[in-house]
Amino acid sequence: MTGNISRRAALKAGVGAVALVAAPAVVRAQAKEIVVGGAASHKPWVESIVQPFFEQKYTCKIVYEGTRSLVNLEKMQKNKGNQYLSVVQMDDPVMILAVKEGLLEKLTPDKVPNLANIRPDAVHMDGMWANYLAPWQGIAYNKNVLPNGVASWGDVWDAKFKGRVILPSLQNTEGLANLFMASHLATGKPMSEAEKDTDSGFKQLAKLKPNLLTVYTQMPQAFNLLEQGEAWVIVGALSSYALERKAAGAPIDLAAPKEGIFASPSGICMVQGAPAADLAYAYINEMLGAEVQGKISAPTFALPTNKSVPPPAGMPINATMHSIDWAFVAENRNEWVKRWDREMGI
Amino acid sequence: MKPRRERIDPVAWLALPAVAYLALVYALPLIMLLARGVMGPKGFTIEPLASFLSDPFNWQVIANTLKIAALVTVVCLLIGYPTAFALAWSSGWTQVVLLAAIILPLSVGVVVKAFAWQIVLRRDGILSQLMVSLGVWDEPVRLLFTETGLVLGAANVFLPFMILPIYSVVRLIDPRLAEAAATLGATPVYRFRRIVLPLTLPGVLAGVVFVFSLSIAMYVIPSLLIGDRYQTLATLVGRSFLFMRNEQLGSTTATVLLVLAVAVVVGSGVLARRLGRSA
């Protein structure tokens, strides 16, 4: 019996050792360090969860450079042909700009096997980038003022919300959902059709003007006003921020209204001409894998994209999840921002 | 006492560090910025400027920018002018405390101040409570995210730049001038208009130029106190570069902002000099 086990154990250890020696051999032969660009706000969980896990498994070093998505794009552009970033984690709309400028290397299942294990809608433009997490957008509300939450996106047009509603700017990634939801509310069309009818969306949003307290570009300021009760709702708030504030004790919560919620996915991509490419592929593969997603989805208040990872507790699993067509957004966004200035101004 | 003409006054060399520094970090980038606004793919072009000015929305933005900067300057002048006299005519500890009260707030960041103003300007904020309890307002009014709130907040931030130049001029006025006029029968109003005001005009002009230039170009204060629904030239410049990634539009807008600021500053200088002469 004991002999059996020890033989099995020895076999396992042997296989493990061979795998360890063989698989990352290429990796070890090359640079032992990769630079990952990402959001500054992600630094805490990358450095406390992802980094120790990855560095130990691959005996290497990760340098995480936290900044804004557009700055990451700028870094890739300025260093084209001589990149120092290997992997970049950024918002989907910025990914499209990076694809257009030929800065990304396509991800393929042979290099990134976990591509097959994530939801199909989390792989974009034929594998130019993939989503490793999906924070969701609903309506953040002040619990002291609205103890029953917000049942529908349409509720915030009610006159009782006069001067109490905050929207994100269309410049912000989280700002676009409102345009599409407004169109859906105005026309009653299914979201996939309503999304293209932005004219109706704008007309509906203009009707919200009397209720607006402000339109923000700086998220912390908006939440500050919500927590103090000056604002009652932030329409289109991100779970990654709202639920973190709630967990920190702020008197707010995030509603998943009946029309559904929006996925606001976080993307990861491979930089074209990335240094230490094998290590970079391994990093991306791990970010899409069940183990890492299982570790990071709860502390980031986001939904995993890996099909085998259950959503963390407290997530609206039954709500309809709408996805945004970011390619359509990229084509039209500057025009929309212009129209927004003219029609939503004070 | 006339400086010798044949060679450069050696004192001029003292300005060298400042000239070199400004040429490198200010003049050169500024020229590059302006050039980008007028350089198209086929060389020199005024097309970007023409298309900027043909959009009525941009004229609205220009009007917003000038209006807010002018109002901030006026509020600062109304509060700052008497304050400068109080400061100049006080002495001992009173003066030290007054000076500290004016200068110390400069060490607090603009963002911190803007957040403080949020608390003051809210519907249930200090200002609203005060006005309701004094019976001026019937019900709480929100000034946050309004033009009034923006002007009040910005005037607070820029007030020292109005007070200090006027103070430095008032300090130099010989009090005997007004006394002499009084002994000759000049009324207080006449003495102020004909003696004090003309003598303080250089300080007023400096203060106006400081405050106007600062408030026409302010970026953080409007984005926190009035938000994305109210664009000024400075916020448009920021957006063009940071969000739309349209460097030409950003440069064009920045050029318009610069020309307006310089025109108003130079114009007010000319006007003040003329007023000073006629007074």
Side-chain angles (χ1 to χ4, degrees):
Chain A
M1 195 71 171
T2 3
N4 255 351
I5 286 173
S6 70
R7 218 181 302 147
R8 207 178 289 159
L11 197 66
K12 261 192 201 165
V15 170
V18 169
L20 244 162
V21 173
V26 208
V27 168
R28 285 206 213 144
Q30 293 175 359
K32 293 288 226 172
E33 179 180 294
I34 52 166
V35 185
V36 177
S41 58
H42 292 176
K43 210 173 168 78
W45 62 260
V46 171
E47 291 188 345
S48 67
I49 303 171
V50 180
Q51 198 170 338
F53 166 81
F54 190 79
E55 289 185 345
Q56 201 190 4
K57 185 162 175 181
Y58 294 87
T59 37
C60 66
K61 192 169 157 26
I62 291 179
V63 178
Y64 184 79
E65 284 194 0
T67 174
R68 299 164 42 149
S69 287
L70 282 170
V71 175
N72 277 316
L73 178 64
E74 196 113 2
K75 284 180 181 173
M76 286 189 270
Q77 274 175 327
K78 296 272 147 77
N79 296 300
K80 199 171 181 181
N82 184 27
Q83 298 288 359
Y84 77 98
L85 289 170
S86 293
V87 176
V88 172
Q89 295 165 207
M90 57 187 186
D91 284 350
D92 285 20
V94 187
M95 288 287 185
I96 292 175
L97 302 178
V99 171
K100 275 190 184 153
E101 300 191 21
L103 297 167
L104 305 189
E105 184 76 48
K106 190 181 271 195
L107 306 174
T108 52
D110 58 316
K111 303 267 192 197
V112 183
N114 275 327
L115 272 181
N117 302 325
I118 62 174
R119 290 202 320 259
D121 61 351
V123 183
H124 299 270
M125 294 180 101
D126 234 10
M128 291 312 289
W129 80 92
N131 299 126
Y132 59 94
L133 278 183
W136 56 278
Q137 279 184 269
I139 298 181
Y141 60 93
N142 185 303
K143 283 194 284 196
N144 298 333
V145 190
L146 303 166
N148 301 323
V150 186
S152 160
W153 291 82
D155 287 357
V156 300
W157 269 263
D158 191 293
K160 75 168 183 178
F161 282 93
K162 187 167 184 284
R164 299 294 189 176
V165 175
I166 296 185
L167 299 183
S169 162
L170 270 196
Q171 289 182 66
N172 294 37
T173 303
E174 72 273 17
L176 289 137
N178 287 320
L179 181 57
F180 307 136
M181 183 47 82
S183 164
H184 173 69
L185 291 171
T187 62
K189 290 178 192 164
M191 191 55 80
S192 55
E193 281 175 52
E195 195 181 34
K196 306 289 179 224
D197 185 2
T198 47
D199 187 52
S200 301
F202 271 110
K203 284 179 183 152
Q204 180 72 13
L205 279 177
K207 292 183 196 157
L208 191 59
K209 279 173 76 173
N211 287 1
L212 286 186
L213 172 62
T214 188
V215 170
Y216 78 82
T217 50
Q218 304 294 327
M219 207 187 305
Q221 186 198 21
F223 276 89
N224 196 0
L225 291 162
L226 181 70
E227 290 169 22
Q228 290 165 352
E230 179 74 22
W232 292 355
V233 283
I234 299 175
V235 182
L238 278 171
S239 62
S240 43
Y241 200 94
L243 295 178
E244 194 189 330
R245 290 300 304 150
K246 180 191 170 190
I252 63 166
D253 205 347
L254 187 63
K258 64 177 186 204
E259 294 87 356
I261 54 179
F262 287 85
S264 180
S266 310
I268 188 165
C269 66
M270 176 88 174
V271 181
Q272 189 156 78
D278 289 304
L279 205 50
Y281 279 124
Y283 178 87
I284 294 172
N285 194 46
E286 292 294 348
M287 289 294 283
L288 302 180
E291 191 170 355
V292 168
Q293 289 201 9
K295 286 178 205 262
I296 61 176
S297 61
T300 55
F301 303 97
L303 297 164
T305 57
N306 190 299
K307 287 180 282 192
S308 64
V309 182
M315 291 284 155
I317 33 177
N318 296 322
T320 315
M321 178 77 95
H322 303 293
S323 309
I324 289 171
D325 179 352
W326 289 112
F328 176 61
V329 171
E331 271 168 44
N332 298 289
R333 193 163 178 186
N334 283 0
E335 281 308 308
W336 292 344
V337 169
K338 267 190 189 170
R339 182 164 178 188
W340 175 275
D341 275 345
R342 285 157 173 76
E343 296 181 13
M344 299 301 283
I346 289 175
Chain B
M1 284 305 282
K2 255 186 155 184
R4 280 180 295 166
R5 289 277 168 201
E6 57 268 29
R7 62 189 194 91
I8 300 169
D9 188 339
V11 175
W13 290 106
L14 294 176
L16 188 68
V19 170
Y21 178 75
L22 285 179
L24 192 68
V25 305
Y26 182 70
L28 190 68
L30 188 67
I31 291 167
M32 285 160 66
L33 175 82
L34 297 182
R36 202 174 282 176
V38 292
M39 291 308 285
K42 289 178 198 148
F44 180 81
T45 169
I46 58 153
E47 202 277 323
L49 186 65
S51 84
F52 180 85
L53 294 178
S54 67
D55 185 341
F57 175 75
N58 290 333
W59 284 98
Q60 180 62 49
V61 173
I62 292 173
N64 287 350
T65 312
L66 289 174
K67 181 167 99 183
I68 293 294
L71 285 172
V72 172
T73 311
V74 168
V75 170
C76 282
L77 187 59
L78 288 177
I79 300 173
Y81 195 76
T83 313
F85 280 85
L87 186 64
W89 290 345
S90 61
S91 58
W93 276 106
T94 322
Q95 192 175 42
V96 172
V97 170
L98 278 178
L99 258 179
I102 292 161
I103 294 173
L104 274 185
L106 286 174
S107 63
V108 179
V110 172
V111 176
V112 176
K113 274 190 203 157
F115 267 92
W117 273 98
Q118 275 189 26
I119 298 167
V120 176
L121 299 173
R122 268 173 11 203
R123 209 167 329 214
D124 60 348
I126 301 160
L127 190 67
S128 184
Q129 282 175 5
L130 186 74
M131 296 303 249
V132 171
S133 63
L134 288 176
V136 183
W137 293 348
D138 294 335
E139 54 177 40
V141 175
R142 168 179 57 87
L143 288 176
L144 187 58
F145 305 120
T146 65
E147 285 183 344
T148 315
L150 174 60
V151 170
L152 286 177
N156 163 251
V157 176
F158 299 139
L159 191 57
F161 297 96
M162 184 63 85
I163 297 175
L164 294 174
I166 302 178
Y167 157 73
S168 64
V169 173
V170 173
R171 239 170 36 135
L172 299 176
I173 297 178
D174 189 337
R176 287 172 302 181
L177 288 174
E179 286 163 14
T183 60
L184 295 172
T187 63
V189 173
Y190 189 86
R191 291 194 316 256
F192 175 75
R193 217 168 57 81
R194 298 303 294 266
I195 298 170
V196 178
L197 186 64
L199 287 173
T200 51
L201 266 186
V204 171
L205 183 63
V208 165
V209 166
F210 274 144
V211 172
F212 188 85
S213 326
L214 286 167
S215 46
I216 201 173
M218 64 184 172
Y219 176 74
V220 176
I221 303 171
S223 61
L224 288 176
L225 288 186
I226 200 161
D228 196 45
R229 296 177 68 203
Y230 191 88
Q231 297 296 330
T232 63
L233 286 170
T235 56
L236 273 193
V237 172
R239 175 195 285 181
S240 308
F241 280 106
L242 300 173
F243 172 71
M244 293 192 162
R245 305 170 55 70
N246 187 338
E247 293 189 354
Q248 184 152 61
L249 178 63
S251 308
T252 306
T253 316
T255 307
V256 172
L257 175 60
L258 185 72
V259 167
L260 281 176
V262 170
V264 171
V265 164
V266 171
S268 60
V270 171
L271 189 73
R273 221 155 285 150
R274 198 165 294 169
L275 281 175
R277 230 178 285 141
S278 67

